[in-house]
Amino acid sequence: MTRTQVNGKVWMSAAKGAVLPLAILLLVMFMVVPVPALLLDIGFVTNILVSLAVLFVALNAARPLDFSSFPTVLLFATLLRLSLNVASTRVVLVNGHTGSNAAGHVIEAFGNFLIGGDYIVGIFVFSILMIINLVVITKGAGRVSEVSARFTLDALPGKQMAIDADLNAGLLTAEQARVRRQDVATEADFYGSMDGASKFVKGDAVAGILILVINIIGGILLGVVSHGLDIGTAARTYVLLAIGDALVAQVPALLLSIAAAAIVTRVTSEHDLSGQISSQFGVGRAWVPVAAILAFLGILPGMPHLIIMPAAAVAGFVAWRLRNAAKVAASAPVEAPPPENPAHIEWRDVSDHAVLGLEIGYGLIALVDERKDAPLMGRITGIRRQLSRELGFVVPMIRVKDNLALAPNAYRITISGVAVGEDEIWPDDLLALDSGALDGTVEGRHTKDPTFGLDAVWISPDKRNEAVIAGYTVVDPATVVATHLNHLIVHNAAEMFGMDEARKLLDALKEAAPQLAEGLHPQPLSLVHIMSIGRALLAEGVPLKDFRKIAEALIEVARPDMSVDATVEALRQRIGSLIIQTLVPVKMPLPVITLDAELEGLLAQAMRVSGDAKHPIEPALGSRLIDQVTEAARPLMAQARSFAIVTSPMARRALSRLFRPHLPETPVLSFLEIPDGKPVEVVAVVGNEARIGRPERVVAA
């Protein structure tokens, strides 16, 4: 591109930017500076041109947002018309005594051609136009704008949530979601602006009436007092000029009112207004009764037969053409899609972007069949909603699909393509779970509960009452799968928390606490660090729903040179109250299993020797620890009591990794994570010789 072309583009851009300021200055000039009649004629013609352009742009818009600048355009068009009214009023009052062409040829033409030079007729024509504009079109458009603005603003949160849900489900890309959010925000701004812009049209109509009255009264007074005209001549001269001036302003005002009404009453469609109306009126069976009724009216005595019968013939011809066109379209051969090329492979054939998946055998399809109420799908939706609230981020959509490679009654749960759980259920039976206090037995197919490994029996539905009386807990197959899915999502939440989820947490924090979000990201923590910290917390059962408190603690402890593990350990000591409240209520003591001093010394020595090793504990010592802690925890698990293993801060991370495969429900805490004043009940002390069964109650200092 040459320098001349670059300079030309810069000049054109600057010229476009200067058009609007110059136009506003011109409007002010019309209001303040006396202008000649020729310039006034140019202004009136420009006003008509702008009004026609606005009307036809509005009619050709496929949806209201396609003309989103309409409220601002309406403002400037109204200002143009009012400035011309001010300028014409000045000319009429100053030069009106010289004749009908005193205010230019446009006003003279409107006064002579539209009303035939009779000012009485002009007053009535102007009054009718004002009634149509002010009472009918403007009032209706204003009411539609008000209701549309209210409903659009009320629906705004729901639309935003729907976009987020589609984004999380993988139905939208991040760019598509951004565009949709922008469209939703623009729509709300547009209807809010239209609610106010409709008042411009109403005010303009009222101003037209007042200007007409001022021109008539002022003109007659000036003609009689200043120019010596008799009252009849003054009335004919000035009233004719005033009516011409009013009509030349009200015709464009009526066009703009029609444009405003067309915009606010539009329903979003792929067609413009003409195409939408023609497609909806293009129904042949709707025109048949129209032709029949007109024909019946045409044969009645006294009716204008030469007018009604041709109209009936036109309606009948339209009905015949439309019905023939529908028949041709229905009989047209449907173009078969081109056969798939077996050698052509798409990315969608080899990749599955769903994070969570549920594969079922063909015998379980009834559980997700919408024609049979899809009992499993409703439970899956409830699980996602509940877990999203508990974990602090939106759980991804769960893709359910059949898998012929599975047994008919088998199902498999996958996370990021990896199978994390599978089992077999019987869709026509019920699962009776052994509650541990049975008063009898029930016949059925013995099995294990897929979630917790409890003894269970598959029974027929007619044995439900018998099983309940015997002490079993009876659940349906959909509940079995849903419970298993819920359990696996909770224990694998870290696998579902990625960069996108971390970004959404930051975005939500930025809306609620912008300064806090700015102090957290991008310094001292990058998005990758925030994601890794979130995963580490979720892996140990710490939810992210109180992310604001977590962010405040991170700002206090995080440094750019700290590792993720060190940051997490320091963070846990600041959010100990968040961790504890997930285990026991505030006023209840926390049951804990601790290690004796000798064992803590061995672990501290191991930590110092191993450095940053992932598994620093010697295997024999680790095996003995697992056995003794499991033995100590067995009575607590039998009573379904929540408890924690408490150790020194140095050994906490290593012990957490050691115990997680064997006691996944049991958190490992350090002494520093227990808040001051929290009651603690020591139920067991594990050491070289475990001392179990001698509970002690202490208060953390």
Side-chain angles (χ1 to χ4, degrees):
M1 185 179 294
T2 64
R3 179 175 296 180
T4 303
Q5 291 173 323
V6 172
N7 292 336
K9 288 191 174 184
V10 172
W11 183 87
M12 288 294 294
S13 177
K16 289 180 180 179
V19 168
L20 188 58
L22 290 176
I24 295 174
L25 289 176
L26 188 62
L27 295 182
V28 175
M29 184 190 75
F30 272 109
M31 291 183 182
V32 178
V33 180
V35 295
L38 176 61
L39 190 58
L40 201 59
D41 286 343
I42 295 174
F44 282 127
V45 173
T46 303
N47 186 24
I48 296 173
L49 182 150
V50 170
S51 301
L52 287 171
V54 170
L55 174 63
F56 285 102
V57 170
L59 295 179
N60 285 281
R63 56 179 188 150
L65 290 186
D66 289 344
F67 198 3
S68 59
S69 62
F70 181 78
T72 306
V73 172
L74 187 61
L75 167 64
F76 287 115
T78 304
L79 288 177
L80 171 62
R81 190 162 53 255
L82 292 175
S83 64
L84 290 172
N85 280 333
V86 173
S88 62
T89 297
R90 182 187 298 109
V91 173
V92 167
L93 295 179
V94 173
N95 302 323
H97 64 284
T98 61
S100 60
N101 63 349
H105 295 292
V106 175
I107 291 179
E108 181 184 16
F110 270 76
N112 292 325
F113 177 73
L114 292 183
I115 60 177
D118 190 335
Y119 63 87
I120 301 297
V121 175
I123 291 176
F124 285 110
V125 171
F126 175 78
S127 300
I128 293 172
L129 285 177
M130 290 301 300
I131 291 172
I132 294 173
N133 190 10
L134 183 61
V135 178
V136 181
I137 301 176
T138 303
K139 187 174 182 180
R143 180 57 179 164
V144 173
S145 298
E146 180 183 350
V147 174
S148 299
R150 183 183 306 167
F151 286 168
T152 301
L153 292 175
D154 288 345
L156 184 61
K159 290 180 180 179
Q160 295 283 10
M161 292 175 64
I163 293 171
D164 291 339
D166 289 345
L167 178 62
N168 294 328
L171 302 177
L172 296 176
T173 63
E175 180 63 22
Q176 290 172 331
R178 187 188 64 78
V179 172
R180 286 200 182 182
R181 289 193 190 98
Q182 185 175 359
D183 285 346
V184 169
T186 304
E187 183 182 20
D189 293 341
F190 172 78
Y191 282 109
S193 300
M194 281 302 301
D195 186 24
S198 61
K199 305 299 188 295
F200 297 152
V201 181
K202 182 178 180 180
D204 178 44
V206 174
I209 298 175
L210 297 177
I211 291 173
L212 173 65
V213 173
I214 291 171
N215 283 343
I216 292 175
I217 296 175
I220 293 175
L221 290 175
L222 285 172
V224 173
V225 175
S226 300
H227 302 294
L229 301 177
D230 61 88
I231 190 167
T233 304
R236 282 193 301 273
T237 303
Y238 283 98
V239 173
L240 189 63
L241 286 172
I243 292 296
D245 179 29
L247 288 176
V248 80
Q250 283 308 308
V251 169
L254 183 62
L255 296 178
L256 285 179
S257 298
I258 295 172
I263 279 289
V264 298
T265 55
R266 285 285 283 121
V267 177
T268 300
S269 170
E270 59 182 2
H271 305 289
D272 58 16
L273 187 58
S274 300
Q276 188 177 5
I277 293 175
S278 61
S279 65
Q280 293 172 359
F281 272 82
V283 181
R285 62 178 178 272
W287 287 90
V288 173
V290 174
I293 293 172
L294 286 176
F296 176 74
L297 291 176
I299 63 176
L300 292 178
M303 289 290 180
H305 311 295
L306 295 179
I307 297 176
I308 296 180
M309 293 306 291
V314 170
F317 176 74
V318 171
W320 175 74
R321 287 296 302 268
L322 291 174
R323 291 173 71 89
N324 281 350
K327 289 179 181 178
V328 170
S331 61
V334 179
E335 229 180 277
E340 292 188 4
N341 183 2
H344 182 66
I345 301 175
E346 298 279 354
W347 276 106
R348 63 175 178 268
D349 299 327
V350 297
S351 61
D352 187 356
H353 299 291
V355 176
L356 281 169
L358 174 62
E359 301 174 4
I360 58 175
Y362 66 84
L364 304 182
I365 292 178
L367 294 178
V368 297
D369 190 350
E370 293 184 357
R371 294 171 297 180
K372 298 182 179 180
D373 296 331
L376 181 56
M377 300 306 294
R379 284 183 170 84
I380 288 176
T381 302
I383 286 171
R384 288 189 63 238
R385 183 179 294 110
Q386 179 65 24
L387 290 182
S388 296
R389 285 196 293 261
E390 292 179 358
L391 296 175
F393 67 95
V394 177
V395 174
M397 289 286 289
I398 301 170
R399 178 173 294 178
V400 181
K401 60 181 179 181
D402 61 322
N403 186 346
L404 296 179
L406 295 175
N409 293 339
Y411 68 90
R412 177 183 297 152
I413 299 169
T414 62
I415 296 180
S416 299
V418 178
V420 294
E422 58 184 358
D423 212 295
E424 194 171 15
I425 62 172
W426 305 90
D428 298 325
D429 291 343
L430 301 173
L431 185 65
L433 299 170
D434 185 351
S435 61
L438 300 180
D439 293 332
T441 59
V442 64
E443 293 184 2
R445 189 181 297 105
H446 290 273
T447 185
K448 291 283 187 181
D449 168 48
T451 305
F452 304 106
L454 302 175
D455 292 330
V457 182
W458 284 104
I459 61 174
S460 58
D462 58 350
K463 294 183 179 180
R464 173 194 286 268
N465 293 336
E466 179 184 347
V468 172
I469 293 172
Y472 287 93
T473 301
V474 181
V475 295
D476 59 272
T479 302
V480 174
V481 179
T483 305
H484 196 188
L485 182 63
N486 182 91
H487 182 77
L488 291 176
I489 291 176
V490 170
H491 285 83
N492 293 274
E495 300 298 324
M496 295 176 286
F497 187 80
M499 297 282 284
D500 292 331
E501 287 71 23
R503 169 53 62 188
K504 291 185 178 68
L505 275 180
L506 284 173
D507 291 342
L509 181 65
K510 188 177 297 183
E511 293 181 4
Q515 293 299 323
L516 180 59
E518 185 178 347
L520 178 66
H521 174 75
Q523 290 295 333
L525 295 176
S526 66
L527 189 61
V528 175
H529 279 85
I530 294 174
M531 177 196 71
S532 301
I533 292 169
R535 282 184 170 179
L537 292 175
L538 290 169
E540 296 200 53
V542 181
L544 305 178
K545 60 182 179 180
D546 297 309
F547 188 68
R548 178 167 183 164
K549 186 174 181 61
I550 293 173
E552 290 172 349
L554 277 173
I555 291 178
E556 293 178 3
V557 303
R559 296 194 307 272
D561 58 338
M562 287 178 66
S563 66
V564 172
D565 288 340
T567 304
V568 170
E569 292 305 309
L571 171 65
R572 289 178 61 94
Q573 296 173 16
R574 297 299 181 99
I575 62 169
S577 57
L578 292 181
I579 301 173
I580 299 298
Q581 73 178 7
T582 63
L583 302 176
V584 292
V586 176
K587 295 183 179 180
M588 287 186 60
L590 173 66
V592 299
I593 296 175
T594 63
L595 310 182
D596 68 6
E598 183 180 353
L599 186 52
E600 287 283 2
L602 289 175
L603 293 175
Q605 183 180 358
M607 298 300 109
R608 286 192 293 268
V609 172
S610 61
D612 294 331
K614 190 173 182 180
H615 298 288
I617 301 176
E618 193 268 337
L621 176 59
S623 177
R624 189 171 60 188
L625 271 173
I626 292 170
D627 293 340
Q628 293 190 8
V629 171
T630 303
E631 180 66 25
R634 188 171 289 113
L636 296 171
M637 291 189 291
Q639 300 171 22
R641 294 180 64 188
S642 297
F643 65 97
I645 301 170
V646 178
T647 183
S648 64
M650 183 181 296
R652 194 212 68 81
R653 188 168 74 245
L655 287 179
S656 177
R657 289 174 178 166
L658 178 67
F659 291 131
R660 195 177 304 163
H662 308 279
L663 296 169
E665 307 282 347
T666 304
V668 179
L669 310 178
S670 75
F671 299 126
L672 299 180
E673 293 173 21
I674 301 177
D676 295 343
K678 177 65 181 177
V680 174
E681 179 186 356
V682 179
V683 295
V685 179
V686 174
N688 289 332
E689 294 181 359
R691 297 187 292 276
I692 302 171
R694 293 180 295 173
E696 304 173 17
R697 187 179 299 273
V698 299
V699 177

